[in-house]
Amino acid sequence: MRHLLGIEGWRRDELEALLDKAQAHLPGKPDTTHILRGKVVANLFFEDSTRTRTSFHMAAKGLGASVMNWTQSGSSVSKGETLLDTARNIEATGPVAIVMRHKSSGAPHLVAKHVRCAVINAGDGTHEHPSQALLDAFTLRQRWGALDGRTVLIVGDLLHSRVARSNLLCLKALGARVVMCGPPTLIPPGLESLGAEVTHNLDAVLPQADAVMCLRLQLERQSENFLPSIREFSRLFGLNPAREERMKPEAVVMHPGPINRGVEISPAVADGPRSVILEQVSNGVAVRRAILEVCAS
Ligand code: ASP
């Protein structure tokens, strides 16, 4: 049993072994339903999700497990039940793993200290979203073989994005160069110390990128006015067809979803030939199967 609380703490060889394992879980590969047969995986989602929850659900089923889906809405959280009481009660029903999303950074780390099963972080506040970073790395490895020497440009709301942080750690660990770009008010301190190059000038760095990852403006996490206007953000940092033309011919476009169409990315780019956005989603199932195999089997 092992937790996946973040990319932090995982070595390059461990990340690579997990990504290699995910290859065996792609569609058409031999049956893997024995791996968690008779076991239960609990999805504990205190925050909304489309891709991550369904993907972990599919992944657990694909390994032969039963899935218990808990969401905050309709639960005893409305009666004042605490996070730890909720988690301990769910654990008492016998899952081998709790897959957990919470709006507070560090919530899965707290739960992991109080339960015996594996805890998998499916996104905690603005902190980490490790399974997203792993499926992004998997998608890039599928294209490139290895990430060494490649430049990945991450653009948008870096301050509130847990995807940005996990991707920075994962991509750096796997040998990529990571450039992060956004308005000064949406760049957290300390990105350079984690190995990122930081810029506010998207047009200057765009031609260098082998992949451009657009991030959603996380309006639900913004308590202050970080931007003069969304239109201004979109004009300076949105990936539109004119900017796309300035990218390397083979460069790909990524987005973790959900997309604010017309804000951080134009529909024509999101749905265009460079986009690997739906590949990311498909690969998510194989990668999450590998995560459950490594952590909970
Ligand atoms: N779905 C991702 C997350 O939960 C990205 C996003 O919401 O913008 O962090």
Side-chain angles (χ1 to χ4, degrees), residues 101 129 162-163 216 218 256-258:
R101 169 170 288 190
H129 192 347
R162 52 200 177 202
V163 173
R216 183 174 68 91
Q218 310 243 325

Side-chain angles (χ1 to χ4, degrees), residues 47-52 101 122-125 128-129 132 160-164 214-218 220-221 255-260 264:
E47 213 186 55
D48 294 346
S49 170
T50 294
R51 281 149 292 272
T52 306
R101 169 170 288 190
D124 64 322
E128 279 227 42
H129 192 347
Q132 178 71 46
H160 300 100
S161 174
R162 52 200 177 202
V163 173
C214 301
L215 297 177
R216 183 174 68 91
L217 208 47
Q218 310 243 325
E220 79 276 25
R221 297 190 210 284
H255 194 302
I259 296 174
N260 286 319
E264 67 271 356

Side-chain angles (χ1 to χ4, degrees), residues 13-30:
D13 61 318
E14 294 172 327
L15 296 170
E16 281 177 341
L18 195 150
L19 295 174
D20 290 343
K21 208 177 260 295
Q23 292 289 344
H25 290 295
L26 285 169
K29 290 284 160 58

Side-chain angles (χ1 to χ4, degrees), residues 250-268:
E250 302 300 320
V252 296
V253 170
M254 310 177 84
H255 194 302
I259 296 174
N260 286 319
R261 286 179 175 262
V263 179
E264 67 271 356
I265 188 167
S266 304

Side-chain angles (χ1 to χ4, degrees), residues 31-210:
D31 184 68
T32 52
T33 49
H34 58 281
I35 293 178
L36 289 182
R37 186 170 297 141
K39 308 274 173 58
V40 178
V41 171
N43 272 342
L44 209 62
F45 278 65
F46 292 84
E47 213 186 55
D48 294 346
S49 170
T50 294
R51 281 149 292 272
T52 306
R53 191 171 63 210
T54 50
S55 182
F56 268 114
H57 187 129
M58 299 278 296
K61 296 294 264 186
L63 298 179
S66 306
V67 184
M68 200 277 295
N69 275 310
W70 179 98
T71 53
Q72 175 164 323
S73 110
S75 78
S76 289
V77 170
S78 65
K79 300 177 188 169
E81 190 160 38
T82 66
L83 164 63
L84 282 184
D85 278 338
T86 303
R88 282 206 198 100
N89 278 269
I90 295 292
E91 194 207 11
T93 67
V96 285
I98 289 178
V99 177
M100 179 181 162
R101 169 170 288 190
H102 201 281
K103 68 177 187 315
S104 300
S105 300
H109 305 67
L110 178 69
V111 167
K113 288 197 183 115
H114 291 89
V115 296
R116 285 175 304 279
C117 65
V119 176
I120 295 164
N121 181 1
D124 64 322
T126 57
H127 181 224
E128 279 227 42
H129 192 347
S131 64
Q132 178 71 46
L134 286 163
L135 72 89
D136 291 338
F138 184 86
T139 303
L140 292 176
R141 273 181 24 138
Q142 254 185 350
R143 296 249 148 186
W144 302 337
L147 272 60
D148 295 281
R150 298 285 187 163
T151 297
V152 181
L153 172 59
I154 306 182
V155 193
D157 183 353
L158 303 165
L159 182 64
H160 300 100
S161 174
R162 52 200 177 202
V163 173
R165 191 181 160 80
S166 286
N167 258 296
L168 170 57
L169 296 170
C170 190
L171 294 166
K172 286 301 294 181
L174 296 174
R177 170 182 175 225
V178 180
V179 182
M180 302 185 99
C181 178
T185 49
L186 291 179
I187 297 195
L191 291 179
E192 282 103 342
S193 64
L194 296 174
E197 292 166 44
V198 175
T199 173
H200 311 303
N201 188 343
L202 177 57
D203 291 314
V205 286
L206 205 50
Q208 301 170 17
D210 296 298

